Amino acid sequence: AQKVTQTQTSISVMEKTTVTMDCVYETQDSSYFLFWYKQTASGEIVFLIRQDSYKKENATVGHYSLNFQKPKSSIGLIITATQIEDSAVYFCAMREGNYNQGKLIFGQGTKLSIKP
Amino acid sequence: EAAVTQSPRNKVAVTGGKVTLSCNQTNNHNNMYWYRQDTGHGLRLIHYSYGAGSTEKGDIPDGYKASRPSQENFSLILELATPSQTSVYFCASGDAVEQYFGPGTRLTVL
């Protein structure tokens, strides 16, 4: 069965530094997709970045990048040059390779606080 | 021009009452989803749909029904609401890979 685990409940870092959030997953599929979403204080859930399991290159979007370690079933989110507005809850999610379904399994979330 | 909207945004219901949560999307996505969010659990899938007329059970479907009358609309129905269904509910629409979420509905069952 699929499972996504985020062990860091909360993280606090200084503004303009780099932070890494951890996520490990379990799946029997050889093809899957990994996502990171951000939930702001208002409750809005926003898609950030995606990693396809068959791609060796780590995905990068703006100041978000991923550390995909397939042998360890790990997909870490790296935020560089953090800003106050990066304060939010970050969710890791996985989708197995059945293109017809698109079911996402979410981790429990990591609350990130950026201090000025 | 929000692509996924939900109504109502807040709802207070009584135990045993019927509750309908509505979702509308303008993304023209075939797939739509209903999740609930509770502290410590992240987002959990209740029901989903591949297109108009179809509904499928997600991971926690008990106590919920779903209806997809059109490409744009997807409803979540609580026939007999219970206090354990107090939660925040999110609707999402998606293509083959990505999902886009609505703003959420806060439901309180007294």
Side-chain angles (χ1 to χ4, degrees):
Chain A
Q2 300 179 75
K3 186 176 181 180
V4 177
T5 303
Q6 296 176 253
T7 56
Q8 298 159 306
T9 305
S10 63
I11 300 174
S12 181
V13 301
M14 298 298 293
E15 188 180 13
K16 300 180 184 177
T17 62
T18 295
V19 64
T20 299
M21 284 174 273
D22 301 328
C23 175
V24 293
Y25 58 90
E26 297 175 23
T27 180
Q28 302 301 315
D29 271 22
S30 58
S31 174
Y32 49 90
F33 303 90
L34 300 163
F35 305 84
W36 281 89
Y37 285 84
K38 171 185 179 180
Q39 186 171 34
T40 64
S42 67
E44 182 185 15
I45 299 173
V46 178
F47 164 74
L48 292 179
I49 191 169
R50 177 183 111 217
Q51 179 78 38
D52 299 347
S53 63
Y54 59 87
K55 292 186 177 179
K56 293 184 177 180
E57 307 79 30
N58 289 321
T60 297
V61 176
H63 75 144
Y64 302 107
S65 61
L66 297 178
N67 180 18
F68 180 39
Q69 299 184 59
K70 196 170 183 178
K72 295 184 178 180
S73 297
S74 170
I75 184 74
L77 174 68
I78 303 166
I79 307 177
T80 58
T82 53
Q83 303 162 9
I84 298 296
E85 50 266 35
D86 291 324
S87 296
V89 178
Y90 290 80
F91 290 98
C92 177
M94 177 176 66
R95 218 213 77 192
E96 290 180 332
N98 183 330
Y99 292 105
N100 198 30
Q101 288 191 345
K103 293 170 56 179
L104 284 177
I105 301 298
F106 284 84
Q108 300 88 335
T110 296
K111 183 176 182 179
L112 176 63
S113 299
I114 307 297
K115 298 180 291 186
Chain B
E1 56 173 49
V4 181
T5 57
Q6 295 181 229
S7 64
R9 295 293 312 278
N10 291 280
K11 173 76 176 178
V12 178
V14 296
T15 298
K18 182 177 181 179
V19 177
T20 300
L21 307 182
S22 299
C23 177
N24 178 276
Q25 57 110 354
T26 57
N27 296 320
N28 197 31
H29 288 149
N30 289 330
N31 297 343
M32 295 186 74
Y33 310 86
W34 276 107
Y35 295 90
R36 65 177 283 176
Q37 183 178 30
D38 304 287
T39 303
H41 286 282
L43 289 136
R44 293 181 291 174
L45 182 65
I46 306 170
H47 283 288
Y48 59 102
S49 169
Y50 299 142
S54 91
T55 61
E56 303 290 335
K57 293 181 179 180
D59 300 317
I60 53 165
D62 293 346
Y64 302 94
K65 292 183 180 179
S67 174
R68 183 86 182 272
S70 65
Q71 178 81 342
E72 298 79 19
N73 296 296
F74 190 36
S75 297
L76 185 69
I77 304 154
L78 291 67
E79 295 278 4
L80 294 169
T82 68
S84 64
Q85 294 175 312
T86 293
S87 186
V88 180
Y89 292 84
F90 287 93
C91 176
S93 74
D95 55 22
V97 179
E98 297 182 13
Q99 293 187 17
Y100 303 87
F101 285 81
T105 294
R106 183 172 297 275
L107 174 65
T108 302
V109 183
L110 302 176

